[in-house]
Amino acid sequence: AERYLDQWKPYTDSLQQELEGIEQILFTGCGYSLATTGMCPLILPLPCQGIHSAHFLARNLETLSTRTLTCICLGDPLTASQHQSLFEAVRRKQAKSFLIGTGSDHSAFAIPQIASPLLPLLEILPLQMLALAKTRTSTQTASPSSVAP
């Protein structure tokens, strides 16, 4: 976690660009990762929803747009291939998405392998980086009259 947090500045810089045009974030996963998906509305300063991956696949896949970011928790080895397939399905819809886990193609979402019950402790870090990036973007685009002295 310390190594990950040491990179907060480059992570938030790159995530600021990824958040351009995004109006909603969906987090999905299952098993231990449900603890992470449930935390997103408490952490992120923009509309977001945590959804079980089976529910997401059944109800949300068809409603994705370019203004939605989908973050998929890779989870433990038993669910990783299922979530990798879900990630690929979201990408086929031309929607922006990232895996949170060891197989992520974005460094801010890449976390080291850890025992399954401890996954939420590391999966929560990319959510915090997204919150920092969104807050930094909002602060930079705020007009001087909207910022308290």
Side-chain angles (χ1 to χ4, degrees):
E2 186 176 342
R3 243 180 288 145
Y4 181 92
L5 292 173
D6 284 343
Q7 299 298 313
W8 75 270
K9 178 80 166 92
Y11 290 162
T12 57
D13 287 345
S14 67
L15 291 174
Q16 280 181 281
Q17 296 170 359
E18 299 293 352
L19 288 172
E20 284 184 29
I22 297 297
E23 295 176 356
Q24 179 184 28
I25 300 180
L26 302 175
F27 277 87
T28 186
C30 66
Y32 292 107
S33 296
L34 284 176
T36 306
T37 63
M39 292 299 291
C40 71
L42 302 173
I43 294 173
L44 291 168
L46 72 159
C48 67
Q49 185 178 6
I51 310 163
H52 189 285
S53 54
H55 181 77
F56 176 87
L57 188 58
R59 300 206 176 170
N60 294 83
L61 194 58
E62 297 304 318
T63 64
L64 296 177
S65 76
T66 57
R67 297 191 174 282
T68 303
L69 170 63
T70 304
C71 297
I72 302 164
C73 295
L74 194 58
D76 63 39
L78 296 174
T79 62
S81 64
Q82 170 191 348
H83 291 121
Q84 181 69 42
S85 296
L86 179 58
F87 170 72
E88 291 165 5
V90 171
R91 287 268 170 110
R92 281 193 299 275
K93 294 282 184 186
Q94 306 298 314
K96 189 177 282 192
S97 64
F98 294 104
L99 278 175
I100 298 175
T102 56
S104 183
D105 60 354
H106 191 292
S107 59
F109 294 97
I111 59 170
Q113 189 145 0
I114 191 169
S116 297
L118 301 175
L119 275 169
L121 296 174
L122 293 182
E123 289 172 339
I124 204 78
L125 296 174
L127 272 78
Q128 293 171 339
M129 293 302 125
L130 282 167
L132 282 171
K134 181 61 178 171
T135 302
R136 289 176 70 205
T137 300
S138 298
T139 302
Q140 290 170 358
T141 59
S143 68
S145 61
S146 69
V147 179

